[in-house]
Amino acid sequence: MSLLQHYEDQLTRLKHSGNLRTLTTNVQQARWITIQQHTMLNLSSNDYLGLASDLDLREQFLSQSSAYLSSSSSRLLTGNFAAYEECEDVIAKAFGREALLFNSGYHMNLGILPAITDAKTLILADKLVHASIIDGIRLSSATYVRYRHNDLVHLQTLLEKYHDDAAIERIIVVTESIFSMDGDETDLTALVKLKATFSKVMLYVDEAHAIGVRGERGLGCAEQYQVMDQIDFLVGTFGKALASIGGYLICHQVIKQYLINTMRPLIFSTALPPLNVAWTAYVFEHMQSMVAARSYLNQLSHDLQQQVRLKGYSSPSSSHLVPIIVGESDVALSKANVLQQHGFYIMPVRPPTVPKASARLRISLNASIQQAELAQLVQIL
Ligand SMILES: *Cc1c(COP(=O)(O)O)cnc(C)c1O
């Protein structure tokens, strides 16, 4: 009893500060989500292109696939089914460089960063990078310093400070292209330019929220800004717009071989089911031609950003992720409640996911949302 008391106290504390989280069951159909018999427009999903809820696409795929439902081992043992290499080929061909797959975006960041760094490495990471990146850094033996969010001037100052330190062999700059919680973007053009002036620097960019959504062929912000070849570690997930599961890295052949030999989550975890990997390849090919959906989503996003600001709210967004920052957790919680009662499934995001006093409503748009639905939402705001 007394051993459990400690955890119970923590939960009580979370509850009192409005930060207690619980799991809720839901039923999803197209752009709708039903929770406890209340059906709402789903504005919290990462299914940005509506592909996860595209039943026709799923039927087409399943009618021609009979892949295994388990790989039964890691890829280095007997798990390396043809589906893996076929999927890597599809992705490598699209990016024009080598590709390596991982079980999830979380595995990817958790595994790559410790593998590619040592005590002679300095990691410079944006202050707002995803938890999986933070955990990867924590597992590494590198020293690390965080630069102010999206502040490339601060990054440059740090690079100048550390670059000529003889004890540092390489500096890895880690950032996201579109940030999950702010929906703002890194200036990749400027970042790549900055990198080019320092010989020890390698770039690591996470495109989790940009893959499928940005660039002519949906390859992310790196494609949009034409910097794909200048990013040493270009990573992303299949769990969001790609409607599947898994992570990928676009890199040099040497890095790929090195990771196959050193990356612990790749070596010591059972590889994804071949069926999922075949589905990823299928969706990835399909996604590249969805130019109209991408352009519609970008238009919708600009409209919402503008209208949210016209309503007097602050939002740093320049993407399909549009947070409305309200401050305290209880305010976010009660505003989210009102919106949900009106049929819009928007979730509050609270500390510790975001910094203290920056609790927010996070609107996550997708290409199947209609203009009229957003107009209604804005009215309620
Ligand atoms: C979602 C996310 C991940 C994790 O990807 P999963 O495939 O869901 O594990 C990693 N990085 C960023 C920036 C993310 O938003």
mmCIF file of all heavy atoms in Angstrom, residues 104-109 130 132 176 180 206 208-209 237-240 246, ligand 1:
data_model
loop_
_atom_site.group_PDB
_atom_site.id
_atom_site.type_symbol
_atom_site.label_atom_id
_atom_site.label_comp_id
_atom_site.label_asym_id
_atom_site.label_seq_id
_atom_site.Cartn_x
_atom_site.Cartn_y
_atom_site.Cartn_z
ATOM 1 N N SER A 104 9.555 2.644 -35.929
ATOM 2 C CA SER A 104 8.712 3.829 -35.726
ATOM 3 C C SER A 104 9.620 5.047 -35.735
ATOM 4 O O SER A 104 10.851 4.923 -35.660
ATOM 5 C CB SER A 104 7.961 3.760 -34.390
ATOM 6 O OG SER A 104 8.857 3.983 -33.324
ATOM 7 N N GLY A 105 8.992 6.216 -35.791
ATOM 8 C CA GLY A 105 9.766 7.441 -35.711
ATOM 9 C C GLY A 105 10.461 7.553 -34.360
ATOM 10 O O GLY A 105 11.559 8.092 -34.248
ATOM 11 N N TYR A 106 9.811 7.030 -33.353
ATOM 12 C CA TYR A 106 10.410 7.071 -32.014
ATOM 13 C C TYR A 106 11.674 6.205 -31.957
ATOM 14 O O TYR A 106 12.728 6.647 -31.485
ATOM 15 C CB TYR A 106 9.368 6.616 -30.975
ATOM 16 C CG TYR A 106 9.856 6.792 -29.562
ATOM 17 C CD1 TYR A 106 9.766 8.026 -28.928
ATOM 18 C CD2 TYR A 106 10.434 5.733 -28.867
ATOM 19 C CE1 TYR A 106 10.234 8.204 -27.640
ATOM 20 C CE2 TYR A 106 10.905 5.901 -27.575
ATOM 21 C CZ TYR A 106 10.803 7.138 -26.970
ATOM 22 O OH TYR A 106 11.271 7.311 -25.708
ATOM 23 N N HIS A 107 11.574 4.973 -32.477
ATOM 24 C CA HIS A 107 12.759 4.101 -32.553
ATOM 25 C C HIS A 107 13.888 4.784 -33.327
ATOM 26 O O HIS A 107 15.055 4.673 -32.975
ATOM 27 C CB HIS A 107 12.432 2.815 -33.315
ATOM 28 C CG HIS A 107 11.843 1.736 -32.486
ATOM 29 N ND1 HIS A 107 10.500 1.674 -32.215
ATOM 30 C CD2 HIS A 107 12.403 0.663 -31.874
ATOM 31 C CE1 HIS A 107 10.259 0.608 -31.462
ATOM 32 N NE2 HIS A 107 11.386 -0.023 -31.239
ATOM 33 N N MET A 108 13.488 5.426 -34.408
ATOM 34 C CA MET A 108 14.444 6.071 -35.302
ATOM 35 C C MET A 108 15.278 7.114 -34.561
ATOM 36 O O MET A 108 16.509 7.027 -34.518
ATOM 37 C CB MET A 108 13.624 6.697 -36.435
ATOM 38 C CG MET A 108 14.236 7.730 -37.289
ATOM 39 S SD MET A 108 12.874 8.441 -38.273
ATOM 40 C CE MET A 108 12.358 9.820 -37.231
ATOM 41 N N ASN A 109 14.612 8.079 -33.916
ATOM 42 C CA ASN A 109 15.365 9.126 -33.222
ATOM 43 C C ASN A 109 16.094 8.576 -32.001
ATOM 44 O O ASN A 109 17.220 8.985 -31.703
ATOM 45 C CB ASN A 109 14.432 10.262 -32.806
ATOM 46 C CG ASN A 109 14.002 11.110 -33.992
ATOM 47 O OD1 ASN A 109 14.756 11.256 -34.956
ATOM 48 N ND2 ASN A 109 12.801 11.648 -33.943
ATOM 49 N N HIS A 130 11.205 17.222 -30.635
ATOM 50 C CA HIS A 130 10.316 16.161 -30.147
ATOM 51 C C HIS A 130 10.971 15.306 -29.058
ATOM 52 O O HIS A 130 12.183 15.112 -29.048
ATOM 53 C CB HIS A 130 9.962 15.282 -31.355
ATOM 54 C CG HIS A 130 8.868 14.290 -31.113
ATOM 55 N ND1 HIS A 130 9.119 12.972 -30.846
ATOM 56 C CD2 HIS A 130 7.519 14.435 -31.118
ATOM 57 C CE1 HIS A 130 7.964 12.328 -30.707
ATOM 58 N NE2 HIS A 130 6.983 13.190 -30.876
ATOM 59 N N SER A 132 11.214 12.213 -28.696
ATOM 60 C CA SER A 132 12.030 11.084 -29.181
ATOM 61 C C SER A 132 13.465 11.525 -29.463
ATOM 62 O O SER A 132 14.408 10.747 -29.298
ATOM 63 C CB SER A 132 11.400 10.481 -30.437
ATOM 64 O OG SER A 132 11.235 11.459 -31.443
ATOM 65 N N GLU A 176 13.591 20.013 -36.375
ATOM 66 C CA GLU A 176 12.468 19.499 -37.154
ATOM 67 C C GLU A 176 12.229 20.501 -38.274
ATOM 68 O O GLU A 176 12.669 21.644 -38.183
ATOM 69 C CB GLU A 176 11.219 19.388 -36.262
ATOM 70 C CG GLU A 176 11.378 18.311 -35.202
ATOM 71 C CD GLU A 176 10.266 18.306 -34.155
ATOM 72 O OE1 GLU A 176 9.137 18.703 -34.472
ATOM 73 O OE2 GLU A 176 10.547 17.890 -33.022
ATOM 74 N N SER A 180 5.777 20.117 -34.187
ATOM 75 C CA SER A 180 4.455 19.564 -33.823
ATOM 76 C C SER A 180 3.586 20.500 -33.025
ATOM 77 O O SER A 180 2.378 20.543 -33.231
ATOM 78 C CB SER A 180 4.538 18.320 -32.942
ATOM 79 O OG SER A 180 5.738 17.690 -32.933
ATOM 80 N N ASP A 206 14.186 16.299 -38.871
ATOM 81 C CA ASP A 206 13.029 15.414 -38.717
ATOM 82 C C ASP A 206 11.828 16.025 -39.448
ATOM 83 O O ASP A 206 11.351 17.104 -39.084
ATOM 84 C CB ASP A 206 12.733 15.231 -37.219
ATOM 85 C CG ASP A 206 11.670 14.168 -36.944
ATOM 86 O OD1 ASP A 206 10.878 13.865 -37.857
ATOM 87 O OD2 ASP A 206 11.633 13.655 -35.802
ATOM 88 N N ALA A 208 8.778 14.627 -39.709
ATOM 89 C CA ALA A 208 7.585 13.857 -39.318
ATOM 90 C C ALA A 208 6.271 14.496 -39.783
ATOM 91 O O ALA A 208 5.372 13.805 -40.251
ATOM 92 C CB ALA A 208 7.559 13.666 -37.804
ATOM 93 N N HIS A 209 6.175 15.826 -39.655
ATOM 94 C CA HIS A 209 4.910 16.490 -39.995
ATOM 95 C C HIS A 209 4.903 17.062 -41.414
ATOM 96 O O HIS A 209 3.914 17.646 -41.832
ATOM 97 C CB HIS A 209 4.622 17.620 -38.999
ATOM 98 C CG HIS A 209 4.425 17.101 -37.620
ATOM 99 N ND1 HIS A 209 3.268 16.485 -37.214
ATOM 100 C CD2 HIS A 209 5.268 17.041 -36.564
ATOM 101 C CE1 HIS A 209 3.395 16.091 -35.963
ATOM 102 N NE2 HIS A 209 4.593 16.416 -35.550
ATOM 103 N N THR A 237 8.489 9.975 -40.447
ATOM 104 C CA THR A 237 7.686 8.836 -39.995
ATOM 105 C C THR A 237 6.642 8.478 -41.042
ATOM 106 O O THR A 237 6.231 9.318 -41.836
ATOM 107 C CB THR A 237 6.984 9.170 -38.653
ATOM 108 O OG1 THR A 237 6.102 8.097 -38.316
ATOM 109 C CG2 THR A 237 6.174 10.445 -38.732
ATOM 110 N N PHE A 238 6.229 7.214 -41.027
ATOM 111 C CA PHE A 238 5.109 6.779 -41.878
ATOM 112 C C PHE A 238 3.806 6.800 -41.087
ATOM 113 O O PHE A 238 2.755 6.476 -41.598
ATOM 114 C CB PHE A 238 5.349 5.349 -42.387
ATOM 115 C CG PHE A 238 6.628 5.191 -43.158
ATOM 116 C CD1 PHE A 238 7.547 4.207 -42.813
ATOM 117 C CD2 PHE A 238 6.915 6.018 -44.230
ATOM 118 C CE1 PHE A 238 8.728 4.059 -43.518
ATOM 119 C CE2 PHE A 238 8.098 5.876 -44.945
ATOM 120 C CZ PHE A 238 9.001 4.894 -44.582
ATOM 121 N N GLY A 239 3.880 7.165 -39.808
ATOM 122 C CA GLY A 239 2.716 7.091 -38.931
ATOM 123 C C GLY A 239 1.763 8.267 -39.069
ATOM 124 O O GLY A 239 0.666 8.246 -38.521
ATOM 125 N N LYS A 240 2.148 9.304 -39.780
ATOM 126 C CA LYS A 240 1.276 10.475 -39.885
ATOM 127 C C LYS A 240 0.638 10.514 -41.286
ATOM 128 O O LYS A 240 -0.186 9.659 -41.564
ATOM 129 C CB LYS A 240 2.072 11.709 -39.496
ATOM 130 C CG LYS A 240 2.289 11.663 -37.975
ATOM 131 C CD LYS A 240 3.313 12.574 -37.393
ATOM 132 C CE LYS A 240 3.357 12.327 -35.883
ATOM 133 N NZ LYS A 240 4.642 12.611 -35.278
ATOM 134 N N GLY A 246 6.139 3.265 -38.948
ATOM 135 C CA GLY A 246 7.560 3.102 -39.249
ATOM 136 C C GLY A 246 8.235 4.438 -39.429
ATOM 137 O O GLY A 246 7.567 5.479 -39.513
HETATM 138 C C1 LIG B 1 5.398 11.825 -34.218
HETATM 139 C C2 LIG B 1 6.829 12.194 -34.222
HETATM 140 C C3 LIG B 1 7.828 11.236 -34.066
HETATM 141 C C4 LIG B 1 7.503 9.828 -33.725
HETATM 142 O O1 LIG B 1 7.098 9.103 -34.838
HETATM 143 P P1 LIG B 1 6.270 7.764 -34.624
HETATM 144 O O2 LIG B 1 6.384 7.076 -35.928
HETATM 145 O O3 LIG B 1 4.902 8.159 -34.249
HETATM 146 O O4 LIG B 1 6.950 7.007 -33.516
HETATM 147 C C5 LIG B 1 9.131 11.640 -34.199
HETATM 148 N N1 LIG B 1 9.461 12.909 -34.437
HETATM 149 C C6 LIG B 1 8.527 13.868 -34.556
HETATM 150 C C7 LIG B 1 8.946 15.278 -34.811
HETATM 151 C C8 LIG B 1 7.185 13.548 -34.446
HETATM 152 O O5 LIG B 1 6.262 14.492 -34.543
#
